[in-house]
Amino acid sequence: MTSEVKTDPAQGPVSVQSCEEGYRNPTEVKMSQIVLPCHANHRGELSVGQLLKWMDSTACLSAERHAGCSCITASVDDIHFEHTIGVGKVVNIIAKVNRAFTSSMEVGILVNCEDLYTDKQWRVCHAFATFVARRTEAGKVQLKQVIPHTQTEQMEYSLAAERRRMRLIHAEIITDLLSSSTAQLGECQEYQDAVPAERTRVESVELVLPPHANHQVSTFGGQIMAWMENVATIAASRLCNAHSTLRSIDMFHFRGPSHIGDRLVLKAIVNNAFKHSMEVGVCAEAYQGGEPTRHINSAFMTFEVLDSDRKPRTLPRIRPEPVDGKRRYQEAIARKKIRLDRKYIISCKQTEVPLSVPWDISNQMYLSYNNVSALKLMDARSNWVLASEKHKVRLYTLEENHMLCFKVEMNVSIPAEQTFHLLSDLRRRKEWDLHYDECEVIIEADDEDTLYRVATPCIRKGDKGKDFILLASRRKPCDARDPYLIALRSVTLPTHPPTEDYTRGEVLCAGFTILEESSCVSKITYYNQATPGVLPYISTDIAGLSSGFSSSFSACSDFLEANKDSESALPLQSL
């Protein structure tokens, strides 16, 4: 079976056209809607609030198809809207469950726009939503596993675990990043003719009626998101007395349900305005009778104001309110920096030199995510070609998009967790890998991310050796179907510039996956996307002119065997 994979650099594969006749993902749900004037804004473009309703409905149907019971929206990841949609166009939405966990599941959503007259289609946005299965009379639901059938489904399944990890630590990491970033920003700047933030404040109340409820008699998540988008748009438009266009939404996270009869209070205000964009903070709170308000949802939305040529207009500056307003003003600057860091990291092209991106604590989350995701994508590829095999060590190659990748595979009689801990500390790799002369720890960022400087020997007489600044990201399995992962990629550090003694090399994607075959047998696979700095070390092996790979990994097997009971199998922080 073959499949056409369309990949987004930020999130991985987002759509697939299967070439296996008759196969269709059992959780896939499609919705097609023609955009009518009642769905549109004053410019004749589809309201984003209406689009969010359709997206949420489609994703919910997919989740319930898999769960076999009612499901509720827990969160929706960041969404970037690439295009607007005009009246008369057709919106095609495809949703399918990428992976199920205990009682929650990730649903991938792809939105395309279709012009019926030209037969053209283009992508509008994609998103990942998390749905939770509601308890039944029998108690908490245990969701059945999703079984990937295509290469793309395997990629989505694997990456879903990493995205879930990001969601679980999202709030904590963002708080840390904001506190560290805002400390460096100083006081708010005063601008002449700045617009008072108070002028942009919007507060609106909605009574939740039966038409706003879903089939579970709680407020439809898509409706809440649509109301939030409405007040945010009003706030953005008040800044410059012009209609605004929504470009992106930071994660929606539902903190609690609301029901028929609730009053939903929706609040929005422009937190900060930059040259061509502004950030609007919006929240939804619910109350009933004399009860205190309950926080239902909050989000940050980025708007632009377009001129007659559809180009972003220059925006007026904002004058924040004292105390909380100044805090929101500074946090908006920090969030913009985070977004720009993430955009830079995920948009780096493989052909660009340097391949590595700058490291600092504010972009650790995204570098680590991309590091692990790149390795998972390589692991999910199915079109590897066996180049050679010796002493039960197998070398495979894959040529794709003018890039050569290789993997080395072997089985060892060592438990997977022990193997993972032994290989996680790159300082010990020189004990079995002749390509490692030196290895030192530069930064131990946390339990899962460490920065190393690695030096390798020269290949030809008269040449200099190479050195690499590597980020090593480690992950334990999410469940039994996942391997242990040690992902490696180059980063740049101002404290460790290139030196005259070494040529600075770069690693785009490399690392180990360790899969538990049984309680005492593990399958180790080493991957490398062969950049120019790495290729000379393995070119003769790939060409079949030598078997250095076999010797190195046989030595790795001996190293693991000799140390399988040693205390060096402890996590790095314990060494």
Side-chain angles (χ1 to χ4, degrees), residues 78 164-177 250-251 253 342 365-366:
D78 300 357
R164 179 175 184 258
R165 172 186 172 275
M166 289 275 286
R167 291 181 199 110
L168 293 175
I169 62 173
H170 180 269
E172 178 184 340
I173 290 178
I174 291 296
T175 299
D176 291 344
L177 293 181
D250 284 12
M251 178 185 285
H253 178 67
R342 177 175 55 191
M365 177 170 64
Y366 307 112

Side-chain angles (χ1 to χ4, degrees), residues 72 189 437 461 470 510 564:
I72 55 174
Q189 297 185 47
D437 266 354
K461 190 175 180 179
L470 296 180
K564 65 179 181 180

